[in-house]
C-alpha cells in the first residue's frame, strides 16, 4: 500500500470512528436538534483534540500527515482501544508506543522553606501543567484552601474554569482565564506527549465552552480580586523559576506599600492566622 493510500485509509478510519460516537459519549452537551451527520462533527473532534478544524479536515481527507502527539490526542478523543490505537499509529507510519508516564512532582525543599517564611505575602508553587504543588497560609486565605482539593485535581487552570468562586474572586475573570489558557498552551508546546496535560485539555474542552474557544484561538499581569474579608485587592502577580527544577515556579502576589491593598493583605494575614490558630490569642495571655 502506498503512503497516499495509508493516509486515505487513516482518514476513512477517523471518519468511521467519529460516526460511531455521540456527543453524550464524549461529554459534550446534546442540543437536541437534528444532526446532518451521524456521530460527532469534525469541529467537535477538533475542539476536543485541541487542533483546528481545518487541520482535522485535511487529516480526514488524507491530505496531510499527523504527528504522534496529535494521533495520541485523537486516540483519546475517539475512545480507541489498544488495538485501534496501534492501528491508527500504524496507518500514520508512527511507532505505537504508549506515552511515558512522568513521575509526580514534589515541591523542592528550598521552595517549601521559602513558602513557610512568607507570612505576609500570598504565595504558591506551580509545577508542570500549572499543577499546584504547595501553598502558604495566606494564599489559601486569598484564593482557596488548596489542601482540601484532591491532589490529582489540584490544578490552577482547572480551578479557574470549574470553581464558581474563582469567577467572583477575579474582577476580570476572562483576562485571567485567557492568560491561564495561554500558559497552558506553552506547557503543551513544551511537553506535547504529556498524557495528563492532554487529558486536562480534553476535560476542560468538554466542560467549558470558553476554554474550547480560547484554546482553539491560540490566544497567546496585574489582577484585581474581590475578597470577602479584605475587600478589593489590586495585586501584582510574579513568578520565579527554581534553579533546581525549571518546571517549578514560585508564584507570589504583592502590593505596593502604603496602598489600601497592602493594608488589606495585612488584615487578611491577621484573619488567616486567627482562623488557623483560634486559641492563639487566649493562650498568649497565660
Amino acid at each position: 500500500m502506498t503512503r497516499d493510500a495509508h493516509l486515505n485509509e487513516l482518514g476513512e478510519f477517523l471518519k468511521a470512528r467519529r460516526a460511531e460516537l455521540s456527543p453524550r459519549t464524549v461529554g459534550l452537551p446534546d442540543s437536541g436538534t437534528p444532526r446532518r451527520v451521524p456521530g460527532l462533527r469534525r469541529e467537535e473532534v477538533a475542539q476536543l483534540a485541541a487542533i483546528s478544524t481545518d487541520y482535522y479536515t485535511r487529516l480526514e481527507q488524507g491530505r496531510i500527515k499527523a504527528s504522534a502527539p496529535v494521533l495520541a490526542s485523537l486516540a483519546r478523543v475517539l475512545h480507541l482501544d489498544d488495538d485501534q490505537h496501534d492501528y491508527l499509529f500504524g496507518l500514520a507510519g508512527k511507532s505505537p508506543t504508549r506515552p511515558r508516564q512522568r513521575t509526580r512532582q514534589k515541591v523542592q525543599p528550598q521552595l517549601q522553606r521559602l513558602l513557610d517564611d512568607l507570612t505576609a505575602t500570598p504565595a504558591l508553587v506551580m509545577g508542570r501543567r500549572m499543577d499546584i504543588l504547595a501553598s502558604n497560609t495566606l494564599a489559601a486565605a486569598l484564593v482557596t484552601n488548596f489542601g482540601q482539593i484532591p491532589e490529582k485535581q489540584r490544578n490552577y487552570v482547572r480551578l479557574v474554569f470549574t470553581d464558581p468562586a474563582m469567577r467572583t474572586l477575579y474582577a476580570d475573570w476572562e483576562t485571567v482565564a485567557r492568560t491561564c489558557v495561554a500558559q497552558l498552551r506553552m506547557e503543551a508546546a513544551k511537553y506535547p506527549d504529556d498524557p495528563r496535560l492532554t487529558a486536562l485539555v480534553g476535560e476542560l474542552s468538554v466542560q467549558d465552552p470558553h476554554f474550547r474557544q480560547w484554546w482553539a484561538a491560540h490566544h497567546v499581569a496585574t489582577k484585581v480580586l474581590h475578597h470577602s474579608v479584605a475587600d478589593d485587592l489590586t495585586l501584582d502577580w510574579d513568578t520565579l523559576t527554581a534553579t533546581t527544577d525549571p518546571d517549578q515556579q514560585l508564584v507570589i502576589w504583592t502590593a505596593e506599600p502604603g496602598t489600601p491593598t497592602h493594608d488589606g493583605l495585612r488584615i487578611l494575614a491577621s484573619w488567616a492566622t486567627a482562623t488557623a490558630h483560634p486559641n492563639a490569642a487566649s493562650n498568649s495571655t497565660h
Side-chain angles (χ1 to χ4, degrees):
M1 184 182 293
T2 65
R3 179 165 297 278
D4 286 344
H6 274 301
L7 292 179
N8 288 333
E9 188 172 344
L10 184 146
E12 290 300 318
F13 177 67
L14 292 174
K15 188 185 303 181
R17 184 55 188 157
R18 72 175 169 89
E20 296 171 356
L21 299 174
S22 67
R24 182 172 299 179
T25 302
V26 297
L28 289 173
D30 192 344
S31 62
T33 58
R35 301 171 72 87
R36 293 185 299 172
V37 295
L40 298 177
R41 300 186 180 99
R42 283 175 173 171
E43 57 266 28
E44 290 171 335
V45 175
Q47 285 181 342
L48 293 175
I51 58 179
S52 71
T53 302
D54 177 66
Y55 184 93
Y56 178 74
T57 299
R58 287 185 288 161
L59 279 178
E60 277 202 0
Q61 293 172 345
R63 295 163 52 197
I64 59 172
K65 293 182 284 187
S67 65
V70 168
L71 292 172
S73 185
L74 288 172
R76 172 186 56 78
V77 169
L78 297 174
H79 293 202
L80 303 187
D81 60 28
D82 288 346
D83 290 338
Q84 291 171 324
H85 174 281
D86 292 351
Y87 178 66
L88 178 69
F89 273 69
L91 288 176
K94 305 291 184 182
S95 175
T97 55
R98 302 291 186 267
R100 180 173 62 87
Q101 294 288 340
R102 296 182 178 273
T103 57
R104 189 172 296 277
Q105 280 183 296
K106 298 294 182 183
V107 62
Q108 292 290 303
Q110 63 271 35
L111 291 184
Q112 184 64 64
R113 292 194 297 268
L114 184 56
L115 278 179
D116 295 338
D117 287 342
L118 290 173
T119 57
T121 302
L124 54 82
V125 176
M126 285 189 191
R128 292 188 297 269
R129 301 171 295 273
M130 298 179 71
D131 288 343
I132 299 165
L133 306 182
S135 61
N136 65 3
T137 301
L138 197 49
L142 178 67
V143 183
T144 189
N145 190 341
F146 300 105
Q148 293 182 349
I149 302 172
E151 186 177 359
K152 290 184 178 180
Q153 299 177 17
R154 210 174 295 162
N155 177 276
Y156 205 83
V157 185
R158 179 185 280 112
L159 281 175
V160 166
F161 280 93
T162 64
D163 186 347
M166 299 292 274
R167 297 178 187 247
T168 57
L169 176 65
Y170 285 111
D172 188 357
W173 176 86
E174 180 174 328
T175 295
V176 173
R178 282 177 175 270
T179 300
C180 285
V181 172
Q183 290 177 308
L184 193 65
R185 181 169 291 287
M186 287 190 290
E187 287 283 308
K190 190 176 180 181
Y191 298 111
D193 61 344
D194 185 341
R196 289 187 59 202
L197 194 151
T198 301
L200 175 63
V201 171
E203 172 194 338
L204 296 179
S205 295
V206 167
Q207 293 187 16
D208 193 280
H210 288 109
F211 183 91
R212 286 200 301 273
Q213 176 187 349
W214 297 335
W215 183 268
H218 290 252
H219 179 83
V220 180
T222 292
K223 304 183 185 302
V224 180
L225 290 81
H226 296 308
H227 197 275
S228 58
V229 173
D231 296 326
D232 288 356
L233 301 172
T234 302
L235 298 168
D236 291 318
W237 162 296
D238 293 290
T239 59
L240 306 173
T241 302
T243 56
T244 51
D245 183 355
D247 285 335
Q248 293 193 27
Q249 291 186 322
L250 176 71
V251 179
I252 58 175
W253 289 270
T254 59
E256 185 178 349
T259 62
T261 292
H262 186 261
D263 295 337
L265 277 183
R266 295 175 63 184
I267 294 171
L268 186 60
S270 298
W271 174 83
T273 301
T275 303
H277 308 286
N279 299 321
S282 60
N283 290 341
S284 63
T285 61
H286 297 290

